[in-house]
Amino acid sequence: MSAGVQTLEIPDSVTTIKYRAFRSCDIKNLVIGKNVETIGADAFSYSSLETLMISASVKEIGQSPFVKC
């Protein structure tokens, strides 16, 4: 069994996280960069998230981006 990614940091250069971009990934900690404005539907669904840091820059969040985390 894989240990997965402990921490994923979305860099400040990213502005959009697309539909199902990290679906079913074994990510424990997520830090979303300060320039992300859009998080697509199901972007992190079925992940192993335990902690999330999200910037105030996010203006649009698709349906169920963190379902079953």
Side-chain angles (χ1 to χ4, degrees), residues 8-17 22 30-37 55 57:
L8 174 63
E9 294 186 33
I10 306 295
D12 293 341
S13 59
V14 174
T15 59
T16 300
I17 300 170
F22 297 95
L30 175 62
V31 179
I32 296 179
K34 65 182 180 182
N35 293 319
V36 172
E37 294 182 354
S55 172
S57 65

Side-chain angles (χ1 to χ4, degrees), residues 5 14 21 23-24 27 47-49 54 56-58 66-68:
V5 175
V14 174
R23 187 176 196 263
S24 299
I27 302 167
S47 297
S48 303
L49 285 178
I54 190 167
S57 65
V58 176
F66 304 104
V67 71
K68 300 282 185 180

